[in-house]
Amino acid sequence: MKISSISFKEPPVYHDFPPLYEGLGLPELSSFIQQRFEFTYTLGKVERIGLGCIRFYKRQGNFEVHIPDKLPGMGPIKLRKLNSLLLEEAKTAFIENIESGPEKRKVYYAEFRRPRKDAE
């Protein structure tokens, strides 16, 4: 398996969660920066195109690659190997995009609480 190319589709997006959620310790409810990309990979003699995104979790300080769609010919072991290859390839370019990006697109997550029964 080989990664031929990676191209980012859009600028990084900053996902900010309220401190209430940050304190729960769940990585999926932690603030992160995400950027989508398209990649070309070779599996055997066939070259294919896939879509994915790379995330940097601010609080934990770690990077993750997510591939939303199933890829033909990819089982769980090959998918783990592909994720690690994509992380190696995309990490430095992603960091450069974060540092040099003049426009910051943000997504805010709000707290949704029920009003107290005695408050009217």
Side-chain angles (χ1 to χ4, degrees), residues 17-80:
F17 284 89
L20 171 73
Y21 297 128
E22 291 279 343
L24 296 175
L26 300 170
E28 61 270 9
L29 295 178
S30 297
S31 296
F32 61 91
I33 304 169
Q34 173 178 300
Q35 189 170 16
R36 297 177 193 269
F37 60 87
E38 181 178 87
F39 61 96
T40 306
Y41 67 100
T42 306
L43 187 62
K45 294 183 180 180
V46 180
E47 188 170 272
R48 296 187 172 129
I49 295 175
L51 297 172
C53 67
I54 184 169
R55 288 182 181 178
F56 171 65
Y57 289 96
K58 296 177 187 179
R59 186 169 229 170
Q60 293 88 5
N62 62 345
F63 292 86
E64 289 183 7
V65 171
H66 295 277
I67 301 173
D69 301 326
K70 290 186 176 184
L71 301 174
M74 287 283 185
I77 295 173
K78 287 183 182 177
L79 194 58
R80 259 187 263 138

